[in-house]
Amino acid sequence: MVTNVRNSEDILDPDDGNAIIVKNLVKKFDDITAVNDLSFEVKKGEIFGLLGPNGAGKTTTIKILSGLLNPTSGTATVGGYDVKKNLRKIKELIGVCPQQAAIFKFLTGRENIELFGNLHTMNKKELKERTESLLEAVNFTEASKRKAKGYSGGMLRQINLLIAIINNPKIAFLDEPTVGMDPRARRATWSFIGSLKEEGKTVILTTHYIEEAEALSDNVAIIDYGELIALGSPQELMEKHDSKNLEEVFMKITGRRILEGI
């Protein structure tokens, strides 16, 4: 619920418990409706899983919330700021790990991280210390000395994740952050994402690894054809749909798309 709006900045009351509020959001591309009357709320300090089949509207939703796309209609606030009116303020609060790795392959992993830190105008001492801390957290210190052109897909994803949070954002959008990682790296990344919550950050996670969302998420929204079809904690959804795990829930309620072969 939007409360105590300041006309000058369109910011919510800072004591409001939600980091993100999406209300009746619509995004159309010509004759395709990618997001269709979508509404949900993300509490401050939680890991929120955004799930759905390919083409369900997950990435489009994240692009709207992070300012890369304008909504066709509806409203959304991030950190209390309206995505249509206060994008500059929002960008100061967020970090984004996109589906496609945004890496300069002729630079080392460390140089990539520091480059983006400099783009955020971070203090040099702070940037160096935070870079070291993040690399150690994912056991990437030695690998970070090599040029990124020699990295595997999973290693590129790891650097992409560190780039997304080098500015110590309050809200992190992680779009398929573990794609291409081997099981060991994926589990280490799960622990790392969990540590972001422990720091008080809000994390919005999209993933096709449903067990990943079940293990990490406090609450989950499942969307299909751009519409919200389920919302709740993994346990609540499993109980509601009489399923032994979240993947079973996912298969039950998104089956129409699978049966239609889309």
Side-chain angles (χ1 to χ4, degrees), residues 241-258:
H241 295 279
D242 190 25
S243 301
K244 64 180 182 292
N245 54 47
L246 192 59
E247 183 172 3
E248 189 173 311
V249 174
F250 184 88
M251 294 300 290
K252 282 182 178 180
I253 67 177
T254 62
R256 182 163 66 98
R257 177 179 288 274
I258 296 169

Side-chain angles (χ1 to χ4, degrees), residues 108-110 131-132 135-136 138-147 151 155 159:
T108 67
R110 181 185 298 273
T131 300
E132 291 290 347
L135 289 171
E136 289 176 7
V138 296
N139 195 28
F140 210 88
T141 302
E142 285 302 313
S144 72
K145 300 173 184 177
R146 293 158 40 196
K147 290 191 183 297
Y151 286 174
M155 294 170 76
I159 288 294

Side-chain angles (χ1 to χ4, degrees), residues 85-132:
K85 301 174 182 178
N86 296 103
L87 187 54
R88 187 171 182 178
K89 292 285 188 180
I90 289 173
K91 289 188 175 182
E92 293 175 359
L93 300 176
I94 67 173
V96 182
C97 179
Q99 273 191 1
Q100 300 297 323
I103 304 291
F104 292 97
K105 293 191 175 182
F106 57 87
L107 298 177
T108 67
R110 181 185 298 273
E111 287 169 342
N112 269 284
I113 295 170
E114 291 177 344
L115 170 63
F116 282 88
N118 283 318
L119 291 175
H120 285 290
T121 67
M122 292 178 67
N123 173 275
K124 288 187 177 181
K125 182 175 182 293
E126 177 192 1
L127 175 56
K128 182 177 180 180
E129 291 176 351
R130 183 155 175 79
T131 300
E132 291 290 347

Side-chain angles (χ1 to χ4, degrees), residues 27-29 32-36 55-58 60-61 225-227:
K27 180 61 182 178
K28 295 183 178 182
F29 298 97
I32 297 173
T33 301
V35 177
N36 189 12
K58 305 183 299 297
T60 299
T61 300
Y225 290 99
E227 300 176 0

Side-chain angles (χ1 to χ4, degrees), residues 94-247:
I94 67 173
V96 182
C97 179
Q99 273 191 1
Q100 300 297 323
I103 304 291
F104 292 97
K105 293 191 175 182
F106 57 87
L107 298 177
T108 67
R110 181 185 298 273
E111 287 169 342
N112 269 284
I113 295 170
E114 291 177 344
L115 170 63
F116 282 88
N118 283 318
L119 291 175
H120 285 290
T121 67
M122 292 178 67
N123 173 275
K124 288 187 177 181
K125 182 175 182 293
E126 177 192 1
L127 175 56
K128 182 177 180 180
E129 291 176 351
R130 183 155 175 79
T131 300
E132 291 290 347
S133 176
L134 291 175
L135 289 171
E136 289 176 7
V138 296
N139 195 28
F140 210 88
T141 302
E142 285 302 313
S144 72
K145 300 173 184 177
R146 293 158 40 196
K147 290 191 183 297
K149 66 181 181 181
Y151 286 174
S152 66
M155 294 170 76
L156 289 172
R157 295 302 295 168
Q158 285 181 294
I159 288 294
N160 215 39
L161 175 58
L162 300 189
I163 287 172
I165 60 168
I166 186 60
N167 61 321
N168 202 18
K170 292 183 177 180
I171 301 170
F173 294 97
L174 309 183
D175 197 0
E176 303 284 353
T178 63
V179 168
M181 290 185 185
D182 62 50
R184 186 183 299 276
R186 181 175 298 135
R187 289 287 177 170
T189 302
W190 288 11
S191 296
F192 181 71
I193 293 172
S195 74
L196 299 179
K197 178 185 174 180
E198 293 175 3
E199 295 174 8
K201 300 185 190 304
T202 304
V203 178
I204 295 81
L205 171 71
T206 77
T207 178
H208 283 299
Y209 301 114
I210 308 301
E211 75 278 10
E212 182 169 284
E214 182 178 336
L216 293 173
S217 301
D218 298 294
N219 284 293
V220 169
I222 301 178
I223 62 176
D224 203 3
Y225 290 99
E227 300 176 0
L228 180 70
I229 58 175
L231 178 65
S233 71
Q235 187 62 40
E236 288 170 345
L237 294 179
M238 287 186 280
E239 291 175 0
K240 180 178 180 180
H241 295 279
D242 190 25
S243 301
K244 64 180 182 292
N245 54 47
L246 192 59
E247 183 172 3

